[in-house]
Amino acid sequence: MTSRPTIDGLAGPLTADEIDAVRKPYRAASLLPGRAYHDAAIHDFEREVWFRRDWMIVGREEDAPDRGTYFLAQIGDEPLVIARGRDGALRAFYNVCRHRGTAVVEEACGKAVRFQCPYHSWIYDLEGNLVRAKHTEDLEDFDREDFGLVSVRLETWQGFVFVCLSPETPPLLDWLGDLPPHLERFDFARLRVAHTETYEVGSNLKFIAENYSECYHCPGIHPQLNKLTPYDVGGDFAPTGPWQGGWMELVDDAETMAVDGGHRNGRPVIPGVTAVDERRIYYYLIWPLTFISIHPDYLLVHRLEPAGPDHTRIVCQWLFEPTTIAAPDFDPSDAIAFWDLTNRQDWHVCELQQRGTRSRSWTAGRYSNQEPSVHAFDLMAVDRYANDGVNSQRTVRLRYDVPPPLDGDSFEGGIAAARLPRATPAGSTRNVARTKAKSGTTAAR
Ligand code: FES
């Protein structure tokens, strides 16, 4: 067994053999070892290294819309408070009093003119400055300016609030790689949450992310979804950043993902949707804990909050245009019911997988030819476990009905303009027939 480099003093938790098994071309690769989903030490490593080093989505800008509004967040064991200051800027702080370490803010969200520690009443302003600390006026070498709440890096993109606990990580837009230009036709910042569901799932975060990354399971697990978007009609994008994504085609007269046939029931498309987009559902995973699913008329966001190696809280939100929400006949219940059903179907198999892989009889399985994107997610994971500077090449299926090249190397780096959805006017294309074209090419879009 070869020893691996350490990250922040922590040794990587997988062996060289385990890492190398995943890093093979996907047709020869094995899945992550079972202990990656069950071992508390590996979960601790992820909390200490993955979640501390990478940019993490903790909410939406609308969660603190006005001056003085705030919400709490948690990255691993780190309690944070996100607050909009008197200048209108969002800031993030460790929610830790600089006196004796008490959590300063207790309510999950709210509005305040200042934050007062509940223990000895030290007072911080909305910008984190310590403005009052009784009985400290005669202390030696004590300056209130040095005892403000400790700040955390915060940036926003498309209305999502990202925080990063590491000072060394590149700025958000650099870290996201080619995702921002890839989605620049959309304006998700203007969308608003119409509904939130929270699920407590007895499964490891990686099982849930792998599940989101493939539709191999859809015919059996999601007959309702598979009827609207058959599992083998779509394709993947080739990312260079910490994300992966693809799309599935709506067939027949389906207009969106909703119960009773997938109709929008009068809901308009969200801004930026092209004619091509209008016939697709896009699925994007932003490493490591957020999924965004773009529908013609709404955005679905899943945000994972790992609570242990076998327990993940999942916050799922349905976002629409404000004018759509304000319409007197607005009723998103068809979209909510569809995804609540689909979510529960997914969580059920993820929990069964958690249960089965606990067995010592299970050894790392193999990827089917429908699962290169599961392999792609696992490669992002092992690169971070290994911490050896390798950014593994990910195989991309440009079309789901055509197997990837035998070399497993259809990843070309970056996203060619020809592979982005074309900006043709909405409504100018016809519905895709259920009988898909049989073509030997891999680049047809
Ligand atoms: Fe906050 Fe004492 S711990 S004021």
Side-chain angles (χ1 to χ4, degrees), residues 96-104 116-124 130 132-134:
V96 178
C97 181
R98 295 297 303 277
H99 177 216
R100 282 168 54 189
T102 302
V104 176
Q116 179 170 321
C117 179
Y119 203 168
H120 312 95
S121 301
W122 282 25
I123 293 174
Y124 304 87
L130 177 62
R132 186 161 181 228
K134 283 190 300 184

Side-chain angles (χ1 to χ4, degrees), residues 198-249:
T198 302
Y199 304 90
E200 302 289 341
V201 184
S203 180
N204 184 276
L205 75 97
K206 296 186 292 298
F207 281 145
I208 296 163
E210 291 165 347
N211 170 273
Y212 183 78
S213 301
E214 51 92 358
C215 212
Y216 183 33
H217 67 279
C218 293
I221 301 299
H222 306 305
Q224 301 85 356
L225 182 150
N226 200 59
K227 191 173 178 190
L228 305 180
T229 56
Y231 78 104
D232 57 352
V233 185
D236 287 333
F237 299 113
T240 59
W243 63 276
Q244 58 190 55
W247 80 94
M248 302 185 71
E249 301 275 355

Side-chain angles (χ1 to χ4, degrees), residues 2-83:
T2 309
S3 65
R4 292 283 176 181
T6 61
I7 308 171
D8 296 338
L10 290 171
L14 298 191
T15 68
D17 289 345
E18 289 168 333
I19 288 168
D20 292 344
V22 179
R23 278 179 168 169
K24 291 178 180 176
Y26 93 90
R27 280 189 174 83
S30 294
L31 280 77
L32 292 165
R35 64 195 186 87
Y37 306 90
H38 298 275
D39 190 330
I42 292 179
H43 182 68
D44 288 345
F45 178 91
E46 294 168 359
R47 286 154 57 102
E48 283 301 310
V49 179
W50 294 6
F51 304 160
R52 294 185 69 87
R53 180 164 291 184
D54 286 315
W55 284 95
M56 308 288 287
I57 294 174
V58 293
R60 298 275 302 167
E61 288 188 74
E62 66 172 296
D63 294 334
D66 305 315
R67 290 167 169 78
T69 54
Y70 66 86
F71 63 94
L72 301 185
Q74 186 95 10
I75 302 292
D77 288 333
E78 299 293 354
L80 307 178
V81 56
I82 318 298

